[in-house]
Amino acid sequence: MTDTWVPGAHSSGFGIDNLPYGIFSLAGESPRVGVRIGDSVLDLAAVTGLDVFTRGSLNEFMSLGREFWTATRAGIIDKLTDQTQREAVEPALYQLHQVQLHLPIEVADYVDYYASEQHATNLGKLFRPDSAALLPNWKHLPVGYHGRAGTIVPSGTDVVRPCGQRKAPTDTTPVFGPSIRLDIEVEVGFVVGMPSTLGIPVGTAEFADHVFGVCLVNDWSARDIQSWEYVPLGPYLGKSFATSISPWVVPLEALAAARVEGPAQEPLPLPYLQEFEPWGLDLALEVELNGQTVSRPPYAQMYWSPAQMLAHMTAAGASLRTGDFYASGTVSGEKSDQRGSLIELTWNGTEPLTFDAGYTRTFLEDGDVVTISGTAPGANGARINLGEVTGRILPALQREA
């Protein structure tokens, strides 16, 4: 692939083989669609003249389908590699420090999965030490729940410590108050572009026709609230207060070199979940807590693929809508420093993390800042940067009785 004429882009991780989409605005102007190249944002409305790129979300663009996505990407590559177009295109490039980034999509529905065998096994050992770590259904279907779309927020949004009911095993009755076991979940999110028809399931082979791209996710979790409320219907207030996503959506086309075979699945999944082309992704993730790296989860070890998650989501006839968003669930690897949540990293608070500054953490404290970043293999041995998602914990807000 011919390299771009944009200075510094080649070595930035945001080169011509990446080109993630996002929503940006300049001071006093309305948000619109941009593409990141190096440390700049290309204003697509300005260089294409198309109204679809003047919108404040990617939804209308994504709804135009895979052929339009491919043609748009090819056109952007041409503009950013052809020296004869530089003079016309360069005025539509803005430095990152000049722009404000926004939530990239208008979220329709949100589903969160539980697709890491290592994560599910770790939690099983913690909470069911006298039983099998994995429940009987886990290797037969991608376990998930329907989350709250309205609390998906862009990277950089502060997260207010949630309040809710919690009950310790030694307590006789529950209490209401701020969570004292606030956690992170390192996840990868998948953005649906093309809708589907109600009543007609989407197969694994149709994954790339419907899913537009990938972003990074931190699904903040209040473990104490969650553990009291989730029986028998599952996560609710312990998960519904905030889910942070990165501002850049990396198109599936940019991840061609990152595709790998996932782990062997035994027993063989039922026919509707079987894949005939691999959609495992070799994504290297990293978690920083207050600037110190605490974990490097490998996405390539995820048991259930995003194509299988999509097929299961629609298997009963549910339709897809543009802007539907689903996340992988916590990404955890086999090693102790590859775990994607504090509940695993500290083994439910019994093994605190020690920081270079001399303090320890079991769960998040007010003022803590969490940043998740990631990279993937790109064309010709380069690395693609997936960007980052960050959030800071603010004290709880409690209403007086």
Side-chain angles (χ1 to χ4, degrees):
M1 180 182 291
T2 304
D3 202 5
T4 178
W5 47 257
V6 178
H10 176 72
S11 58
S12 68
F14 292 99
I16 202 68
D17 54 345
N18 191 347
L19 302 178
Y21 294 86
I23 300 297
F24 79 99
S25 63
L26 298 169
E29 297 185 8
S30 299
R32 54 192 184 272
V33 179
V35 161
R36 181 164 177 180
I37 177 74
D39 290 329
S40 300
V41 180
L42 177 65
D43 184 344
L44 289 188
V47 297
T48 67
L50 298 177
D51 285 345
V52 69
F53 296 123
T54 65
R55 310 301 187 231
S57 80
L58 295 175
N59 289 42
E60 186 173 334
F61 165 52
M62 295 191 301
S63 72
L64 297 177
R66 187 176 180 181
E67 289 187 7
F68 192 79
W69 308 339
T70 299
T72 298
R73 180 175 173 83
I76 295 169
I77 291 172
D78 184 54
K79 292 179 186 300
L80 294 174
T81 56
D82 183 356
Q83 281 284 353
T84 66
Q85 299 193 57
R86 180 172 182 173
E87 185 177 353
V89 173
E90 204 160 22
L93 283 172
Y94 300 96
Q95 293 294 302
L96 283 174
H97 66 80
Q98 296 178 282
V99 307
Q100 180 180 353
L101 299 177
H102 303 272
L103 192 70
I105 60 172
E106 183 179 347
V107 182
D109 279 303
Y110 168 47
V111 172
D112 194 27
Y113 280 101
Y114 191 49
S116 165
E117 182 175 3
Q118 290 80 10
H119 174 67
T121 299
N122 285 338
L123 292 196
K125 289 177 179 178
L126 285 171
F127 297 126
R128 297 183 301 276
D130 298 325
S131 304
L134 294 179
L135 293 173
N137 66 344
W138 198 91
K139 286 200 170 183
H140 292 275
L141 56 85
V143 174
Y145 70 93
H146 197 168
R148 187 175 179 85
T151 51
I152 292 180
V153 297
S155 175
T157 303
D158 291 334
V159 175
V160 176
R161 182 178 296 274
C163 293
Q165 285 194 27
R166 47 187 169 81
K167 180 182 178 298
T170 55
D171 293 340
T172 55
T173 58
V175 297
F176 182 88
S179 170
I180 57 176
R181 294 165 61 84
L182 188 57
D183 201 354
I184 63 170
E185 289 195 349
V186 180
E187 306 193 19
V188 174
F190 300 89
V191 179
V192 172
M194 278 298 289
S196 66
T197 303
L198 183 67
I200 301 179
V202 175
T204 58
E206 300 169 274
F207 169 72
D209 292 328
H210 291 275
V211 171
F212 174 75
V214 167
C215 63
L216 299 178
V217 179
N218 187 347
D219 189 32
W220 309 89
S221 300
R223 300 297 184 186
D224 43 356
I225 297 172
Q226 179 185 358
S227 65
W228 170 238
E229 73 179 1
Y230 86 107
V231 179
L233 291 182
Y236 188 35
L237 298 187
K239 294 279 194 175
S240 66
F241 56 96
T243 299
S244 301
I245 68 173
S246 54
W248 300 110
V249 180
V250 178
L252 287 187
E253 287 184 77
L255 295 173
R259 291 177 61 178
V260 294
E261 295 277 359
Q265 295 183 325
E266 179 61 39
L268 188 69
L270 292 172
Y272 79 99
L273 288 173
Q274 292 177 21
E275 288 186 290
F276 302 98
E277 56 175 340
W279 269 110
L281 293 170
D282 183 15
L283 311 181
L285 308 178
E286 183 171 302
V287 188
E288 290 185 358
L289 176 52
N290 297 333
Q292 183 169 321
T293 299
V294 296
S295 180
R296 292 186 172 90
Y299 189 83
Q301 296 181 15
M302 296 295 276
Y303 189 87
W304 294 105
S305 80
Q308 291 174 312
M309 297 179 214
L310 188 74
H312 189 65
M313 187 191 312
T314 62
S319 59
L320 299 174
R321 295 188 292 170
T322 298
D324 278 355
F325 181 75
Y326 65 99
S328 61
T330 304
V331 182
S332 291
E334 296 175 348
K335 299 178 181 178
S336 59
D337 61 354
Q338 295 178 329
R339 297 167 180 168
S341 62
L342 292 176
I343 196 170
E344 296 171 88
L345 286 166
T346 69
W347 210 245
N348 203 19
T350 63
E351 301 172 9
L353 296 175
T354 300
F355 288 76
D356 294 340
Y359 60 86
T360 62
R361 284 290 184 274
T362 52
F363 294 92
L364 295 173
E365 297 189 11
D366 294 347
D368 284 350
V369 176
V370 179
T371 299
I372 299 168
S373 57
T375 63
N380 304 314
R383 296 295 294 183
I384 286 176
N385 196 324
L386 305 178
E388 63 180 39
V389 55
T390 188
R392 177 182 59 162
I393 304 302
L394 297 185
L397 297 175
Q398 294 191 74
R399 295 184 181 275
E400 295 183 2

